[in-house]
Amino acid sequence: MSRSMNASSLKRKRPESSSANGSLVDADRAVFNVIKSKEDMGIWTRDIKFETKLADTVVNKSLKSLLSKKLIKEIVNIKNKGRKHYMAAEFEPSKEVTGGAWYVDGNLDKELIGVLKGLCLKIINSKKVATVEGVYDFLTKSKVTTFDCTNQQIAEVLNSMVLDNEVIEVKSTGLGEYHSIPIGTVCYRIAKGAGLGESLKIGAMASIPCGMCPRISQCTPDGVISPSTCVYYQKWMNF
Amino acid sequence: MVSQHGIKLAVYLVSSFYGDHNSKVCECLLRRGTLTLAQIIRFTELSREIVRHCLLALIHQNCIQAFSIQQEGAFGEAPKVVTHYMALFDNIIHHMRFPKFIAIVKDELGGECEKVFEALLQHGRLSFNQIVDREKQTVSKEENFDVDHLKESFNKLVNGRFVERCPAPEPFLAPPSDEETPAKKRGAKSTKVGDVSESIEQRALAAAAPMESLRFLAETHNWSDFSDKSSEEKFTSVKTGEKRKQDFLETDGGLLDQDEKKEVLWRVNFEELIRRLRHQACIANAKSRLNDECGIILGAILELTRSSESKVNIGSTASVSINDIYDEVIKKKGGLGMNLERIRASLVELGCEMPMLVEEYSIDLKSIIDMAQNEEVESIVLKRYGREAYRMFRFLSKSGCLHETDKIADTTFVEKKDAIKILYKLWKDDYLQMEKVTVNGARQTHFLLWKVNRQSLCQHVLDEMYHAALNLRLRIAHELDQEKEILQMPKDKVGEVEELRKRYMRLKKVSIIYESSLMNLDDALMLFHDF
């Protein structure tokens, strides 16, 4: 009995012992095929279970097995960082999954962005006016960075700086400071006040407590929140 | 359509200037629209006498305009003419900026004109004789009163268009002609009641306004030879019945008597003052956004083209030649050293395109106003919601179209999980519009799209500004009320006690800050409402 059992258990074990090229048990193969079919998008655990119609325990066991054989890898999906996602080992996660060049482990690489912004600001400050290509060429030739960045990345950083009102986007007139830039080419210059430690000009509404107040819609003359009881006004006049 | 807080601010201003009864009548008209005397009495629950006096006073102060229309009689009765009253919201809000108007007149025409102008602001409407009488009372016995000098100052104000002839107190609006009726009938099915009322009010204002040729025509010795619409359209020329007389404001030696004596009444021309303030705002924006030279050149162009502006909020200035611009620029402070080359460079910075044939330039004022409005709103977003919200808002504002959450997060370098929270907050506070899109594929996927709707955003921000202006006024009143004991004390007694002196100095400082903040906020109000 035990021999037959031993023989059958051995027999049972044989399909589980797999190699990269070897056969997998049916469950493992099913799970692997589903994961591989998603290519560089990867797939969530629950979706694997849904598509393979296998029991939870079976899927979990297969995933463990495939991971140990390095046929699949676990990845972070930027849209759902809390969920376990898997991808076939031969694929690199797509931009949609990672979040793009600016994301590391599902988080925005603020340090990298900050460094590039600082460099771009210095370059434009020294050149007075620069195009995307001008900034990119300067960065690559001067080798101030220890990492590679693309023209596209520089354009994205400059665009973000325009939105921050640190630089302004202008079109070359071909005259004066623009003489080396073809007419009509988009270029960038330092925004007035930026780069000198000056903050953005504050509007009239934003200069008073009501402009900053998150409760303005609830404020009434005789209400709980009112101008006469307002703590923001109180702080504003504490000098 | 006036916003809720705009109405509250207007009511508060009328109360401050003219008392609670007048503010009650104004509030009734602002909230309910154009009404008859009987309706105002019913809604305000004030006595007939009080309402009549309030209406007279408010018409005199240019806060209300009356007009009469013919209404069909009921049950076979003859048609009757009924007087209606409409609140003039803009003129009420202008009371907040009287000091600015006075400063403009003083800068341009000097102290003598300022005195006459101030009298007109205070009294609403005055004839020249009333101005003379008033001046006689203020001049001391030792001083010689010179009526010619006063006349000269008055004429300067009229020629500068700071003062205008008053509109007719109660124009009659003729019923629409037969040709117009079918179109109006068609229109009545599709348009709302509010639209029809608005056009009646616009017609009333147009009918009341003096003819353009007479509006700034100063009186001569033979002023009685001139007749204008206001004297032609007398109340008595309209058929009256018993009912009509009950709605009629009795003269009591007031407003209407002036008409009957053919004395021309004058009032401040708010339109010209707002035009000057608009120009000032554009010049200030050019200076701060670009440089001083651009401000000087823009000022020169506005000086040259002001008289050709047909309305306050024109889109672009008239075209001016480069030589005319140069001649005007060198007259200005800081402009003497400029040459044509620098002027051309500044004009390009101001957004002008290089002309092809004739070298003439026109400035797009609307784009300057739009930029100033954007700066104001973005400033609020930055202060209230933070730097990341500022970037996302600017991205959506510049783009002008719907964008999906991830796209916004990627472009603005904001963490995706933070982006959705910030966008939701902005949407909840009416700074953004949001649309939900569902894509049906293997699975249903929901996308959120976001957009800045400029028109509704500006209306919302304007309402917030009215709210803030009212809050500032209430806060000032509260601070003064808290320290009323100190204000009632003699100053030397206040100075004796350290604690009292400190409180007094604090109150002084606080008042200055509140008042200057209110004046700045008023500039922003005009940016969104009047410019």
Side-chain angles (χ1 to χ4, degrees):
Chain A
M1 204 59 187
S2 60
R3 269 188 221 158
S4 63
M5 276 176 71
N6 283 340
S8 61
S9 65
L10 274 171
K11 275 183 186 171
R12 276 197 296 278
K13 274 181 185 171
R14 205 177 292 123
E16 290 174 26
S17 61
S18 58
S19 65
N21 297 325
S23 59
L24 300 167
V25 293
D26 288 348
D28 288 5
R29 189 183 295 114
V31 169
F32 179 67
N33 286 340
V34 162
I35 293 172
K36 194 172 175 179
S37 72
K38 303 300 173 189
E39 294 184 352
D40 64 354
M41 286 299 293
I43 183 167
W44 179 27
T45 324
R46 193 190 284 184
D47 289 337
I48 298 171
K49 291 166 187 174
F50 178 77
E51 291 199 25
T52 57
K53 308 272 190 284
L54 292 169
D56 286 4
T57 48
V58 172
V59 170
N60 291 338
K61 198 175 171 187
S62 297
L63 286 171
K64 223 175 171 178
S65 168
L66 292 168
L67 276 168
S68 65
K69 291 180 178 100
K70 294 191 185 347
L71 290 172
I72 63 170
K73 57 188 174 185
E74 194 175 328
I75 56 158
V76 175
N77 187 324
I78 186 71
K79 288 179 188 172
N80 288 298
K81 282 190 238 180
R83 295 174 182 175
K84 284 185 188 267
H85 277 73
Y86 296 93
M87 185 178 287
E90 63 258 43
F91 293 105
E92 281 304 313
S94 69
K95 190 182 163 186
E96 208 174 315
V97 170
T98 62
W102 302 110
Y103 283 83
V104 172
D105 297 329
N107 292 314
L108 198 62
D109 194 348
K110 289 187 177 170
E111 201 184 319
L112 170 66
I113 293 164
V115 164
L116 280 173
K117 275 187 173 181
L119 288 169
C120 290
L121 202 64
K122 280 183 186 160
I123 294 165
I124 296 171
N125 215 1
S126 68
K127 284 169 158 279
K128 302 291 177 226
V129 64
T131 59
V132 172
E133 288 73 23
V135 172
Y136 175 73
D137 287 341
F138 188 98
L139 274 175
T140 45
K141 281 175 188 168
S142 62
K143 295 183 183 169
V144 290
T145 57
T146 54
F147 48 84
D148 291 328
C149 61
T150 64
N151 206 341
Q152 173 63 22
Q153 282 178 297
I154 298 301
E156 287 174 15
V157 167
L158 287 171
N159 190 37
S160 163
M161 292 171 75
V162 168
L163 295 175
D164 261 329
N165 224 343
E166 289 171 328
V167 299
I168 52 170
E169 191 181 282
V170 292
K171 283 205 174 141
S172 169
T173 58
L175 305 168
E177 287 164 332
Y178 303 95
H179 68 276
S180 59
I181 303 170
I183 296 174
T185 311
V186 170
C187 36
Y188 301 86
R189 51 187 312 134
I190 300 289
K192 206 180 174 196
L196 302 167
E198 292 174 26
S199 53
L200 288 164
K201 182 191 161 194
I202 303 172
M205 180 72 173
S207 305
I208 60 175
C210 297
M212 294 185 272
C213 180
R215 300 272 176 263
I216 187 169
S217 58
Q218 292 139 44
C219 174
T220 55
D222 304 315
V224 173
I225 301 172
S226 74
S228 49
T229 58
C230 179
V231 294
Y232 296 131
Y233 270 113
Q234 195 63 43
K235 281 182 188 172
W236 193 36
M237 288 298 140
N238 274 347
F239 38 67
Chain B
M1 190 75 179
V2 183
S3 69
Q4 277 307 301
H5 288 102
I7 292 174
K8 286 180 184 176
L9 178 62
V11 169
Y12 183 85
L13 287 169
V14 174
S15 176
S16 304
F17 276 85
Y18 309 118
D20 290 341
H21 286 150
N22 282 304
S23 72
K24 210 167 179 181
V25 169
C26 261
E27 184 172 11
C28 180
L29 290 170
L30 284 166
R31 290 203 185 279
R32 294 176 182 274
T34 304
L35 297 170
T36 62
L37 175 65
Q39 288 169 324
I40 296 169
I41 293 166
R42 180 156 48 96
F43 292 131
T44 59
E45 297 178 351
L46 294 168
S47 73
R48 187 181 188 82
E49 195 71 19
I50 289 174
V51 172
R52 276 177 49 247
H53 281 125
C54 287
L55 287 171
L56 264 176
L58 290 167
I59 289 171
H60 196 78
Q61 293 290 350
N62 306 299
C63 296
I64 285 180
Q65 173 70 50
F67 60 94
S68 46
I69 55 174
Q70 188 171 295
Q71 282 183 352
E72 296 301 317
F75 303 110
E77 283 182 9
K80 55 186 179 187
V81 176
V82 181
T83 305
H84 287 68
Y85 302 91
M86 55 185 266
L88 300 175
F89 172 77
D90 287 357
N91 286 1
I92 296 170
I93 298 295
H94 286 329
H95 281 65
M96 256 192 353
R97 43 192 78 120
F98 281 179
K100 290 182 185 172
F101 295 162
I102 292 167
I104 289 171
V105 167
K106 189 182 178 184
D107 278 345
E108 188 153 328
L109 301 177
E112 293 299 324
C113 294
E114 180 197 353
K115 274 195 269 181
V116 177
F117 184 78
E118 218 171 320
L120 281 165
L121 278 176
Q122 191 184 358
H123 291 275
R125 302 176 177 210
L126 292 169
S127 67
F128 182 69
N129 287 333
Q130 285 174 318
I131 293 171
V132 168
D133 290 341
R134 189 182 171 277
E135 186 62 23
K136 274 181 187 168
Q137 284 166 18
T138 56
V139 166
S140 63
K141 286 178 185 172
E142 291 80 33
E143 289 177 70
N144 290 325
F145 176 70
D146 186 359
V147 70
D148 289 333
H149 193 68
L150 186 62
K151 183 79 179 169
E152 197 188 318
S153 299
F154 180 76
N155 284 342
K156 276 186 193 173
L157 284 167
V158 175
N159 293 335
R161 303 199 160 202
F162 294 113
V163 163
E164 63 176 358
R165 291 193 182 211
C166 286
E170 191 183 321
F172 173 69
L173 299 188
S177 63
D178 288 339
E179 293 86 42
E180 288 172 12
T181 312
K184 279 208 170 175
K185 276 184 181 169
R186 281 196 296 274
K189 286 179 187 172
S190 53
T191 57
K192 295 174 188 174
V193 172
D195 292 346
V196 175
S197 308
E198 205 173 351
S199 68
I200 287 174
E201 284 155 7
Q202 284 171 337
R203 282 177 61 208
L205 289 172
M211 287 188 289
E212 203 57 36
S213 55
L214 290 172
R215 194 174 161 200
F216 303 106
L217 188 65
E219 293 169 276
T220 63
H221 291 296
N222 299 322
W223 52 259
S224 57
D225 293 342
F226 293 104
S227 62
D228 62 335
K229 264 201 282 190
S230 59
S231 58
E232 281 172 6
E233 289 180 22
K234 293 178 195 245
F235 302 103
T236 52
S237 68
V238 174
K239 282 182 186 174
T240 59
E242 200 54 45
K243 183 78 175 161
R244 171 80 178 85
K245 279 183 185 169
Q246 286 173 9
D247 293 338
F248 190 80
L249 292 178
E250 290 166 18
T251 62
D252 292 331
L255 169 73
L256 303 176
D257 270 2
Q258 300 301 335
D259 255 351
E260 292 179 9
K261 291 175 189 171
K262 288 195 179 179
E263 272 206 279
V264 176
L265 286 176
W266 299 88
R267 69 173 190 179
V268 167
N269 176 17
F270 293 126
E271 188 185 314
E272 181 62 25
L273 291 152
I274 295 296
R275 177 178 290 114
R276 300 296 176 113
L277 288 170
R278 187 180 192 238
H279 290 179
Q280 279 181 12
C282 289
I283 293 166
N285 182 273
K287 269 189 183 162
S288 72
R289 188 169 45 87
L290 303 167
N291 51 55
D292 287 352
E293 281 190 3
C294 289
I296 293 168
I297 289 159
L298 178 57
I301 294 174
L302 290 170
E303 193 76 41
L304 290 166
T305 57
R306 186 188 302 133
S307 56
S308 63
E309 287 184 19
S310 54
K311 53 178 183 171
V312 172
N313 52 359
I314 54 160
S316 297
T317 65
S319 294
V320 195
S321 74
I322 186 73
N323 292 323
D324 286 344
I325 296 172
Y326 175 78
D327 289 341
E328 191 63 35
V329 162
I330 56 173
K331 288 186 217 167
K332 292 198 166 290
K333 189 182 173 187
L336 194 58
M338 287 219 217
N339 57 31
L340 289 175
E341 191 69 35
R342 280 163 69 187
I343 290 174
R344 286 188 185 104
S346 292
L347 285 166
V348 169
E349 281 192 274
L350 283 164
C352 294
E353 287 180 5
M354 296 304 288
M356 300 295 278
L357 299 168
V358 180
E359 197 174 9
E360 285 186 348
Y361 297 90
S362 162
I363 304 287
D364 183 353
L365 294 177
K366 189 180 178 304
S367 70
I368 296 176
I369 298 295
D370 284 350
M371 273 190 271
Q373 287 177 344
N374 288 343
E375 279 170 17
E376 190 66 44
V377 178
E378 287 164 9
S379 196
I380 297 170
V381 170
L382 175 63
K383 278 281 179 175
R384 203 184 280 176
Y385 304 102
R387 177 59 68 162
E388 289 181 332
Y390 174 75
R391 272 205 304 279
M392 290 196 285
F393 181 83
R394 270 171 62 81
F395 168 63
L396 289 167
S397 181
K398 281 171 177 290
S399 139
C401 58
L402 288 160
H403 285 284
E404 196 263 323
T405 313
D406 282 355
K407 167 72 179 171
I408 298 167
D410 288 341
T411 309
T412 57
F413 292 144
V414 175
E415 292 270 14
K416 291 184 200 296
K417 64 174 178 357
D418 295 335
I420 185 73
K421 286 180 199 168
I422 296 168
L423 290 166
Y424 182 75
K425 235 192 282 184
L426 287 166
W427 168 74
K428 210 162 140 291
D429 291 345
D430 294 320
Y431 277 76
L432 293 180
Q433 278 187 344
M434 187 252 286
E435 277 182 33
K436 273 186 195 170
V437 171
T438 305
V439 174
N440 292 312
R443 259 192 179 185
Q444 238 186 25
T445 318
H446 301 286
F447 292 99
L448 294 177
L449 305 178
W450 311 87
K451 179 187 173 181
V452 168
N453 180 325
R454 208 164 186 281
Q455 197 182 4
S456 63
L457 173 65
C458 285
Q459 282 169 5
H460 175 67
V461 168
L462 179 61
D463 188 61
E464 280 194 353
M465 287 180 174
Y466 283 134
H467 192 169
L470 178 61
N471 280 356
L472 271 170
R473 290 195 152 255
L474 290 172
R475 184 71 192 194
I476 294 169
H478 170 74
E479 295 274 0
L480 292 173
D481 188 59
Q482 294 281 92
E483 304 288 12
K484 61 184 173 202
E485 287 170 5
I486 293 178
L487 291 169
Q488 284 163 0
M489 274 185 199
K491 273 192 183 162
D492 49 356
K493 207 165 183 185
V494 171
E496 282 170 14
V497 183
E498 178 67 19
E499 176 62 32
L500 292 178
R501 197 179 61 80
K502 271 187 183 173
R503 279 168 62 184
Y504 179 79
M505 292 310 294
R506 181 196 167 272
L507 184 64
K508 208 173 164 184
K509 214 172 174 181
V510 156
S511 297
I512 291 170
I513 292 173
Y514 281 136
E515 291 290 345
S516 65
S517 298
L518 193 53
M519 286 296 107
N520 283 340
L521 183 61
D522 182 55
D523 288 342
L525 275 172
M526 286 190 284
L527 191 61
F528 281 83
H529 179 71
D530 300 278
F531 295 169

